[in-house]
Amino acid sequence: MNIPSGLKYTKDHEWVKIDGDIATVGITDFAQSELGDIVYVEVETLDETLDKEEVFGTVEAVKTVSDLFLPLSGEIIEFNEALEDEPEKVNSDPYGDGWMVKIKISEPSEVDDLMSADDYKALIGA
């Protein structure tokens, strides 16, 4: 199970890469493996400002559809449009080409509530 140490994590199995006031968000290797083959990623919240833990989109796998929860409050400023044609990138490279959205963080203090890689490993029993 790949859990990069330089990222932050949520109990909902999203990962977050912080770069100044911009956060890149995707789902973890654990989440994509639990979902199985991902066939569609939908994000209809581009340019919207959402609160932490609000649903920002959905990911559809062969057997299920799962909501995506925003790990930090902010404005969704970019969607990974490559996922429209190649949603399987979430399976093959969840921490790289399979990222989902970028957000402009509006509440920087919320970053402190995210889990470290070690905390996330403990959550999933890795």
Side-chain angles (χ1 to χ4, degrees), residues 12-14 27 31-32 34-35 38 40-43 55-69 100:
D12 298 311
H13 310 290
E14 281 97 18
I27 65 169
Q32 71 79 22
E34 291 290 302
L35 287 167
I38 292 172
Y40 190 68
V41 177
E42 181 175 53
V43 174
V55 174
F56 72 85
T58 57
V59 61
E60 183 176 340
V62 173
K63 298 178 187 171
T64 187
V65 175
S66 185
D67 287 334
L68 299 166
F69 299 95
M100 295 183 174

Side-chain angles (χ1 to χ4, degrees), residues 5-24:
S5 60
L7 303 175
K8 297 289 191 177
Y9 298 88
T10 71
K11 64 179 174 26
D12 298 311
H13 310 290
E14 281 97 18
W15 60 263
V16 184
K17 179 182 177 187
I18 308 291
D19 185 12
D21 64 349
I22 304 298
T24 303

Side-chain angles (χ1 to χ4, degrees), residues 13-122:
H13 310 290
E14 281 97 18
W15 60 263
V16 184
K17 179 182 177 187
I18 308 291
D19 185 12
D21 64 349
I22 304 298
T24 303
V25 178
I27 65 169
T28 64
D29 191 26
F30 174 81
Q32 71 79 22
S33 69
E34 291 290 302
L35 287 167
D37 292 336
I38 292 172
V39 295
Y40 190 68
V41 177
E42 181 175 53
V43 174
E44 293 185 345
T45 51
L46 189 61
D47 299 324
E48 291 183 24
T49 300
L50 302 174
D51 291 330
K52 175 182 171 181
E53 298 184 355
E54 277 194 87
V55 174
F56 72 85
T58 57
V59 61
E60 183 176 340
V62 173
K63 298 178 187 171
T64 187
V65 175
S66 185
D67 287 334
L68 299 166
F69 299 95
L70 203 62
L72 300 164
S73 299
E75 179 185 357
I76 298 182
I77 58 171
E78 189 175 344
F79 167 62
N80 183 356
E81 293 182 7
L83 299 181
E84 289 180 349
D85 294 327
E86 298 178 89
E88 64 275 7
K89 286 183 180 217
V90 175
N91 292 117
S92 63
D93 191 10
Y95 302 110
D97 290 340
W99 66 273
M100 295 183 174
V101 296
K102 292 187 180 184
I103 58 175
K104 182 166 176 47
I105 302 168
S106 60
E107 297 291 335
S109 63
E110 291 176 352
V111 173
D112 297 335
D113 297 332
L114 298 172
M115 289 187 270
S116 68
D118 287 340
D119 292 339
Y120 185 70
K121 285 176 187 174

